[in-house]
Amino acid sequence: MFSKALSRLAAATVVLFCLAVQPSAAHAWGNEGHRLINRLAVATLPGSVPGFLRTEAAANEIEYLGPEPDRWRSPAEPELVAAQAPEHFIDMELADALGPLPHKRLDFEAKVFAAGQRPEKIGLQPWQATEVWERLKAALREYRNLSAANKDTRAVEQAVLFYAGWLGHYVGDASQPLHTSIQYNGWTGPNPNGYTTEHKIHWQFEGPFVGANLHAPEVEARMTPVKAVEGDIFDAYVAYLRHTQTYVEKVYQLEKAGGFVGAGTAESREFTADRLAAGASMLRDMIDTAWIESGKPVADPYAGK
Ligand SMILES: [Zn+2]
């Protein structure tokens, strides 16, 4: 019996194999979908965000970075693989079984270990996304400081683009329902509706189906209007994940109806466009919010020391 971590590794290996043997057909949330989400987020940023984030060069860089964390899954970097693989998903059922989600990663991990479990079996999605968002906010604050002092901002601009692109990967993963649930790749447990139990649905949905059928115009048309994230960022992000989780069963229903074979169905194409659009909208709004929040005064941590 494969452990969950091993079966996830096996899925990743299949992905890598597909990429290796079929480079021209390599599409995924891990590739085409992630690039699409990142590019659309940048393309729809409001004019209030600094101009360097809205150039064609910025869009190209952030789009390139969409799949970046999936480039960290090679067996050539085993320590990195082990540490970062859990950051792409969270099985909300398992996380919720341990009680309210702590805001800080190490508090959650301590809770998981105390329950005799391992974080890599549950996932670390919302902590990673929140931490990278905070890196982005810190870099934007530095950009404001350097701008105000009339100093060269080119170096910090590069850092901002990297953080924005890196963030996009996780925000994109979190719009994919199968990244939020124990039902991540084949139905488990009671199955009265006869959903597929094969370990194929995850990649079938986010990989070949997206690559063959989804394009920027129909995704952009489904994006929400710009809206800054309100309230606490971690809580807002978890709410976003929980909304995504409500679509887990829908993915299985669509699969059962042949929705992810070939061109699928009108319903499966619209559903997938909606999910990609949700990721692009959330990423755009999180970048916008990082900019707004970076302008708020921060107490000097060294004051009085
Ligand atoms: Zn991922």
Side-chain angles (χ1 to χ4, degrees):
M1 252 282 284
F2 273 156
S3 73
K4 175 166 219 168
L6 274 177
S7 61
R8 285 195 193 274
L9 186 63
T13 307
V14 170
V15 171
L16 290 172
F17 179 75
C18 292
L19 292 173
V21 299
Q22 274 188 310
S24 63
H27 303 290
W29 236 274
N31 192 3
E32 287 303 312
H34 277 299
R35 295 186 83 111
L36 197 62
I37 286 170
N38 275 24
R39 176 164 282 276
L40 286 176
V42 175
T44 57
L45 280 169
S48 51
V49 165
F52 77 85
L53 266 163
R54 293 180 286 112
T55 66
E56 183 62 17
N60 289 339
E61 180 67 15
I62 289 175
E63 177 187 333
Y64 168 80
L65 290 167
E68 183 73 352
D70 284 338
R71 300 175 180 124
W72 301 332
R73 294 181 183 274
S74 165
E77 289 86 33
E79 289 80 7
L80 176 62
V81 171
Q84 71 94 34
E87 296 170 344
H88 297 248
F89 68 92
I90 183 164
D91 291 356
M92 294 302 297
E93 303 93 333
L94 302 179
D96 284 337
L98 301 174
L101 301 184
H103 279 219
K104 293 172 183 163
R105 177 194 295 246
L106 295 183
D107 290 345
F108 176 68
E109 292 187 353
K111 214 171 161 177
V112 173
F113 287 123
Q117 298 181 46
R118 297 279 302 183
E120 62 267 41
K121 302 254 176 94
I122 299 176
L124 296 167
Q125 238 281 340
W127 295 278
Q128 177 66 4
T130 303
E131 291 163 17
V132 178
W133 181 83
E134 290 183 346
R135 287 179 167 103
L136 173 64
K137 178 158 72 78
L140 286 166
R141 190 165 59 243
E142 202 57 28
Y143 169 83
R144 286 181 186 268
N145 292 340
L146 290 169
S147 298
N150 284 318
K151 290 189 175 158
D152 189 349
T153 58
R154 282 174 294 183
V156 72
E157 289 172 17
Q158 294 305 306
V160 166
L161 298 186
F162 177 76
Y163 292 133
W166 185 21
L167 174 66
H169 183 85
Y170 305 107
V171 179
D173 276 349
S175 72
Q176 210 287 44
L178 303 187
H179 279 252
T180 67
S181 170
I182 56 170
Q183 309 296 357
Y184 68 93
N185 196 20
W187 197 264
T188 59
N191 191 5
N193 297 312
Y195 298 134
T196 182
T197 57
E198 285 191 284
H199 305 312
K200 287 182 180 171
I201 184 171
H202 190 115
W203 173 241
Q204 184 185 11
F205 168 49
E206 74 173 19
F209 180 71
V210 169
N213 296 295
L214 277 296
H215 312 94
E218 64 263 26
V219 176
E220 184 170 359
R222 289 177 155 77
M223 287 177 69
T224 54
V226 177
K227 186 171 181 293
V229 177
E230 289 172 5
D232 179 86
I233 192 74
F234 182 83
D235 293 341
Y237 193 83
V238 169
Y240 164 65
L241 274 166
R242 290 194 190 285
H243 180 71
T244 300
Q245 191 194 1
T246 64
Y247 297 106
V248 170
E249 188 167 358
K250 186 76 196 170
V251 177
Y252 281 84
Q253 289 167 348
L254 291 168
E255 191 279 341
K256 196 177 172 186
F260 304 130
V261 176
T265 61
E267 190 187 9
S268 70
R269 290 192 297 274
E270 284 169 17
F271 171 82
T272 308
D274 275 335
R275 292 289 80 229
L276 292 165
S281 300
M282 183 63 168
L283 176 59
R284 176 205 58 208
D285 291 348
M286 287 178 78
I287 295 170
D288 180 36
T289 306
W291 170 243
I292 295 166
E293 295 286 319
S294 71
K296 294 188 175 168
V298 184
D300 181 355
Y302 300 107
K305 287 188 182 166

